[in-house]
Amino acid sequence: MQVKSESVNKKDQNRENILKIAREIFSKYGFKKTTLDDIASAVRKGKSSLYYYFKSKEDLFHAVIMKEVEILAYELEIVINRNTDPVDKLRDYILTKLATFRGLANFYHAIENDVTAVGFIEEIKIRYEQDEIRMIKRILIEGVRKNEFEIYDFNLAAIGITTAIKGLEMPLTAGTYGEVNLERTVDIILKIMCYGIMKR
Amino acid sequence: MQVKSESVNKKDQNRENILKIAREIFSKYGFKKTTLDDIASAVRKGKSSLYYYFKSKEDLFHAVIMKEVEILAYELEIVINRNTDPVDKLRDYILTKLATFRGLANFYHAIENDVTAVGFIEEIKIRYEQDEIRMIKRILIEGVRKNEFEIYDFNLAAIGITTAIKGLEMPLTAGTYGEVNLERTVDIILKIMCYGIMKR
DNA sequence: CGTCCTTTTGATTAAAATGTTCAAAACTGT
DNA sequence: ACAGTTTTGAACATTTTAATCAAAAGGACG
C-alpha cells in the first residue's frame, strides 16, 4: 500500500501546478476564451486528466480565484499588523486591496459579458464584505487608541469606509479603463474621511 | 443617384474603423481566439455586417496585417531618409523593424499553433524580403559613399545582413518568450558586422 | 510477478459556438 | 416613391468544447 501522505502530496503538488498555470492563462484570456485544452497542453497533460483534479472548468476557475483571494487576505493581514500610523495603515490597506483587485479584474477582462466569471467575483465580494468590515474596524479602533481618530460608532464608520472602498473598486471591475489615477483618488477620499468636510 | 465618391468614402471610413478595432482585438487574443462576434460587437454592428466589408474572417485578418505592414514600411522609409550616420541608420532600421515585429508577433501569440496566422506572416516575410534587401543595400551604398563602409559586393552584403536580421526576428515569432534583451543583441551583431565592414 | 492504488488518457457524446450565406429590412439622399 | 447603400436576423454546416468513462499505464510493495 502506498503511504497516503505521500500520494496526497503528489496529487496536491500537481493540483498546485495546474492552478498556477491556469491562473496565468485565465488572467490572459478571461474565463470564456480559455479552454481546458489550453490549460491541459500548458501543463502537458491530456485534457481529461484535469478532471482528476477538478470536477469542472468552473470548479478550476473557482479554485484559481479562491487562491487569489487567499493571497489578498494574506497581504492585507500583513498590512494590518504593520506598526504604522493609522492613516497610513488605512491607505495601505486600500491600495493593497485595489492593486490585487486590479489583477482579479483581469480574469474577466473579456469583451463580452462573461457572466460566470462576473458571478464568481460578485459572490466573493459579498462573502468577504463582513471580513472587510471587521478589518477596517480594527484599524479604526487602533486609531482611536492611538488618539488619532475620534469615532463614536465603530460599526457605522467601518461600514461607511468599506462602502467607499467598494466605490473605488467599481472602475476596476466595470469597464472603466481610462486611467483614473487611483492613487490620487484614494488620497482625496482619505483626506475627506480623515479631516471631514467641515471647516473648523 | 448618390454620388459615388461620397458613398465610397463612407464605406471606406467604416472599413477603416473596423480594421482599427479588429487590430486591437486580434493583437490581444490572436487569430483563433478572436471571434467575429467579438469584433462585430466592438464596432456595434451585427456579425453579418462585417461581411459587407470583408469576405471572410481570414480576409479581415489579412487586411489588418497588411495595414500593419504598411505602417512598418512607412516607418522604415522615414528611418532610411533620416540624415544619420550609416551605422546608426542600420541600427535604427533593425530596431524599428524589430519593434514593429514584436507587435506583429502578438497577432498569433496563442498557445496553440495558429496555423492560419503563422501562414500569413510567413507569407509576408517572404514577400517583403526583396524590399528589405533593397533597403539595406541603399544604406550600405550610402555608407560607402560617406566613406564609412568598404564593401565590394553590395548584393551579397545586403543579403547577409538581411539574414542576420531574420535571425533576430526568430525569437519574436517563435515561442522564445524569455526576455532576450534584443537591443543588446542587436548592438553585438552590429559591432561584429561593422568591424568586418568598416574601413580602417 | 501480481496486487492494489494512483494517475493519465483516448474515444465518445451532447451541447454550444462560430463562420458564412441570404433574403429581407432599414436607411439615405433625390 | 425610388434606387442605391448598409444593416441585420434567421438559418445552416462545421468545429469546438466541456464532460464522461472505461481502459490503460505507472508505481510501490510484498
Side-chain angles (χ1 to χ4, degrees), chain A residues 25 28-30 33-35 38-39 41-42 109-112 177, chain B residues 25 28-30 33-35 38-39 41-42 109-112 177:
Chain A
I25 303 182
K28 194 167 190 173
Y29 295 116
K33 276 192 187 299
T34 299
T35 73
D38 290 341
I39 297 169
S41 73
H109 73 312
I111 287 158
E112 67 269 292
Y177 264 58
Chain B
I25 304 182
K28 194 168 189 172
Y29 295 116
K33 277 192 186 299
T34 299
T35 72
D38 289 340
I39 296 169
S41 73
H109 72 311
I111 287 160
E112 67 269 292
Y177 264 59

Side-chain angles (χ1 to χ4, degrees), chain B residues 13-30:
Chain B
Q13 216 169 297
N14 273 341
R15 239 184 93 100
E16 285 306 308
N17 185 240
I18 294 174
L19 279 177
K20 200 187 86 201
I21 287 177
R23 198 204 84 94
E24 288 168 18
I25 304 182
F26 275 131
S27 91
K28 194 168 189 172
Y29 295 116

Side-chain angles (χ1 to χ4, degrees), chain A residues 98-156:
Chain A
L98 287 184
T100 312
F101 241 80
R102 196 194 288 268
L104 257 199
N106 261 12
F107 286 99
Y108 67 111
H109 73 312
I111 287 158
E112 67 269 292
N113 286 354
D114 200 325
V115 193
T116 328
V118 174
F120 278 148
I121 295 184
E122 287 306 316
E123 185 195 314
I124 287 166
K125 274 195 199 169
I126 292 168
R127 188 187 307 177
Y128 282 81
E129 190 172 326
Q130 293 307 316
D131 284 323
E132 172 139 35
I133 292 176
R134 228 169 286 132
M135 292 215 230
I136 298 289
K137 209 161 119 184
R138 270 171 64 189
I139 299 181
L140 296 184
I141 290 175
E142 189 188 347
V144 169
R145 190 167 45 69
K146 285 191 175 173
N147 223 28
E148 290 223 23
F149 294 161
E150 186 175 280
I151 295 169
Y152 296 107
D153 189 325
F154 287 116
N155 274 321
L156 278 184

Side-chain angles (χ1 to χ4, degrees), chain B residues 81-140:
Chain B
N81 288 325
R82 264 206 299 251
N83 192 22
T84 50
D85 183 71
V87 179
D88 287 343
K89 190 172 283 192
L90 208 49
R91 184 170 188 273
D92 286 349
Y93 179 94
I94 295 174
L95 285 178
T96 302
K97 183 153 185 243
L98 287 183
T100 313
F101 241 79
R102 196 195 288 268
L104 257 199
N106 261 12
F107 286 99
Y108 67 113
H109 72 311
I111 287 160
E112 67 269 292
N113 285 355
D114 200 325
V115 193
T116 327
V118 175
F120 278 149
I121 296 184
E122 287 306 317
E123 186 195 313
I124 287 166
K125 274 195 199 171
I126 293 169
R127 187 185 309 175
Y128 282 81
E129 192 174 324
Q130 293 307 316
D131 285 323
E132 172 139 35
I133 292 175
R134 229 168 285 132
M135 292 214 230
I136 297 289
K137 209 161 120 186
R138 272 172 62 191
I139 298 181
L140 295 185

Side-chain angles (χ1 to χ4, degrees), chain B:
Chain B
M1 182 182 61
Q2 275 175 293
V3 183
K4 187 71 175 271
S5 66
E6 265 181 32
S7 67
V8 166
N9 269 351
K10 182 76 175 293
K11 188 169 179 179
D12 281 359
Q13 216 169 297
N14 273 341
R15 239 184 93 100
E16 285 306 308
N17 185 240
I18 294 174
L19 279 177
K20 200 187 86 201
I21 287 177
R23 198 204 84 94
E24 288 168 18
I25 304 182
F26 275 131
S27 91
K28 194 168 189 172
Y29 295 116
F31 178 75
K32 195 175 176 190
K33 277 192 186 299
T34 299
T35 72
L36 290 182
D37 272 318
D38 289 340
I39 296 169
S41 73
V43 298
R44 296 171 184 279
K45 288 198 192 310
K47 178 170 50 168
S48 36
S49 302
L50 298 181
Y51 285 84
Y52 183 62
Y53 300 95
F54 303 92
K55 78 176 215 294
S56 70
K57 184 186 177 188
E58 283 204 5
D59 191 38
L60 171 53
F61 183 72
H62 204 251
V64 167
I65 298 283
M66 278 314 170
K67 206 180 168 191
E68 210 71 3
V69 170
E70 270 175 39
I71 292 170
L72 172 59
Y74 176 72
E75 282 173 356
L76 291 181
E77 197 66 32
I78 289 177
V79 167
I80 270 203
N81 288 325
R82 264 206 299 251
N83 192 22
T84 50
D85 183 71
V87 179
D88 287 343
K89 190 172 283 192
L90 208 49
R91 184 170 188 273
D92 286 349
Y93 179 94
I94 295 174
L95 285 178
T96 302
K97 183 153 185 243
L98 287 183
T100 313
F101 241 79
R102 196 195 288 268
L104 257 199
N106 261 12
F107 286 99
Y108 67 113
H109 72 311
I111 287 160
E112 67 269 292
N113 285 355
D114 200 325
V115 193
T116 327
V118 175
F120 278 149
I121 296 184
E122 287 306 317
E123 186 195 313
I124 287 166
K125 274 195 199 171
I126 293 169
R127 187 185 309 175
Y128 282 81
E129 192 174 324
Q130 293 307 316
D131 285 323
E132 172 139 35
I133 292 175
R134 229 168 285 132
M135 292 214 230
I136 297 289
K137 209 161 120 186
R138 272 172 62 191
I139 298 181
L140 295 185
I141 290 174
E142 190 188 347
V144 168
R145 189 167 44 70
K146 286 192 175 172
N147 223 29
E148 289 223 24
F149 294 162
E150 185 176 282
I151 297 169
Y152 297 108
D153 190 325
F154 288 115
N155 274 321
L156 277 185
I159 290 173
I161 292 177
T162 305
T163 307
I165 295 178
K166 242 203 279 282
L168 289 167
E169 281 162 10
M170 203 113 73
L172 291 180
T173 57
T176 315
Y177 264 59
E179 284 299 311
V180 199
N181 197 346
L182 275 173
E183 195 137 343
R184 185 171 294 272
T185 312
V186 168
D187 280 340
I188 291 171
I189 289 186
L190 260 183
K191 200 169 229 171
I192 293 173
M193 290 198 299
C194 286
Y195 291 115
I197 279 174
M198 298 282 280
K199 196 178 220 169
R200 35 194 109 188

